[in-house]
Structure formats: C-alpha cells, structure tokens
Amino acid sequence: MKKIVIPLIIVMLLAGCGHQENRETYALLDQFVHETDTPDSQVYLVSHTQPIQYFLKPQGSLTEAYGAVKDHRSPLTGKSFKKVVSEQAFTEICQQQGKKIYFNPLKANQFGIHLIDAPLPKKATEGTTPYQLASNAASKDYVITTSKPFFLKNYAIACIFYAAETQKATTRSLALYQKINGKWTKTYDFRLEKW
C-alpha cells in the first residue's frame, strides 16, 4: 500500500505546484499588463516567452546585470535589490529558463490579456525599430515580449524580463514583483540598455 500512496502523493504535490505556477504567472501578467496600459493605447502580449539573452545586449550576462542593480533601492520598500534577491538566486534564474511558455488564449482572455503573435521582422530604417507590429496593433499600441516569470521564496517574489515596443521605440527591462497583501506589486524596474 505504501508503494502506491507515496508516489501518488508526490504526483499530487507536483501537479499542485504546476497549477500554482500557472495561477501566479497569469496573475502576475495581469498586473503587469494593467500597469502598462494607457487610456489611448492597447497592450498586446506576445503569445510565447523568450529566453533571457533576448533581453540583454549581445555580450551581456546575468552576472553583469546583477552587479549593475544589486545596490539599487526600491522606491516602494527602501530595500536594496541584493537584500531581496541574492546573487546565487539570480544566477539560478538562468538555469530555470527551460522551454518557451505558450500562453493559453482562453486563460489570457479571462485575465484581460490580449495575445498577439510575435512582431514581424523588417528592415530597420533610421528612426524606426527593427520590427513592424502585427496588423491589428496601431502605432501608439504597445507590444510586450516577456521571459518566463521566475518565482522565488515560495511565490513571494517574481522576476520577469520584458521588452516594451511601439512603432517608435523599444525598451528592454527587468522587473521584480513582491507579494504584498496577496497582490503582485512591482518593487523594482530596471532598464537593460547598458547590460
């Protein structure tokens, strides 16, 4: 009997962890997209994640990234980044990348997140970004590409790399969210242009 019960408990725990990660991922993205939203524009989320290297400069590294942000203090909590996320935890993020996540359209719709296929590559001209937005995105709209959200400290902290793109500009950033009163709250946001 023990031989059956123990594996069953392990499977149930693993399934529960998967469901929690899905719930937390969509709750985090919902908060993230709503923070980006502006009254006169629409926010679209690219329907699949990108690896972290997509958000760093060509020879950029997470070690360099950590060194650049570790002493920054959160305007919300006053804590330095290194007090919230250790260098070891930040390094482990790179090892957790795994496969791309394809977001579920029905789940995304439930959270009010508009999914869009990846922007189409085009030849860059002076003053434009190297992408053209998909046909249903207007010039003032945002297209957001994200990494897989990385959860730390039993889903109390989440790191997410992202790129926000309009037809005029692209910015690449790292945001750190913390659970405050049961809600994901952005406590750090770093631009990655120099990384």
Side-chain angles (χ1 to χ4, degrees), residues 11 14 27 47 53 64 77 82 112 143 149 165 168 179 186:
V11 167
L14 290 174
S47 59
Q53 205 59 40
E64 184 182 351
T77 65
K82 65 184 174 189
V143 173
E165 182 176 5
K168 293 185 178 178
K179 269 284 180 72
K186 189 189 293 183

Side-chain angles (χ1 to χ4, degrees), residues 67-83:
V69 302
K70 68 181 181 180
D71 294 318
H72 285 256
R73 295 193 174 277
S74 166
L76 188 65
T77 65
K79 289 184 178 179
S80 66
F81 188 79
K82 65 184 174 189
K83 293 275 186 190

Side-chain angles (χ1 to χ4, degrees), residues 68-149:
V69 302
K70 68 181 181 180
D71 294 318
H72 285 256
R73 295 193 174 277
S74 166
L76 188 65
T77 65
K79 289 184 178 179
S80 66
F81 188 79
K82 65 184 174 189
K83 293 275 186 190
V84 179
V85 179
S86 70
E87 186 168 6
Q88 180 183 352
F90 198 75
T91 304
E92 286 171 6
I93 285 172
C94 192
Q95 298 161 356
Q96 295 176 28
Q97 285 191 80
K99 297 178 182 175
K100 284 182 183 177
I101 295 175
Y102 287 85
F103 300 120
N104 179 324
L106 293 175
K107 193 75 163 171
N109 190 51
Q110 175 188 339
F111 280 92
I113 298 168
H114 306 284
L115 296 182
I116 194 170
D117 290 330
L120 306 169
K122 72 170 187 178
K123 195 171 186 177
T125 58
E126 196 171 321
T128 66
T129 64
Y131 294 98
Q132 76 185 40
L133 303 182
S135 59
N136 56 332
S139 61
K140 63 189 175 187
D141 292 339
Y142 288 87
V143 173
I144 306 288
T145 307
T146 73
S147 68
K148 174 184 183 288

Side-chain angles (χ1 to χ4, degrees), residues 4-59:
I4 296 171
V5 172
I6 292 172
L8 185 59
I9 290 170
I10 292 170
V11 167
M12 288 170 63
L13 286 172
L14 290 174
C17 290
H19 289 304
Q20 183 174 4
E21 184 160 345
N22 281 343
R23 274 196 315 273
E24 298 295 356
T25 296
Y26 283 102
L28 176 67
L29 291 174
D30 180 49
Q31 180 64 25
F32 175 77
V33 169
H34 282 84
E35 286 173 1
T36 310
D37 215 354
T38 57
D40 64 339
S41 66
Q42 189 76 264
V43 178
Y44 295 92
L45 180 68
V46 172
S47 59
H48 58 271
T49 60
Q50 293 292 336
I52 292 171
Q53 205 59 40
Y54 174 88
F55 304 95
L56 304 177
K57 66 184 183 183
Q59 270 67 51

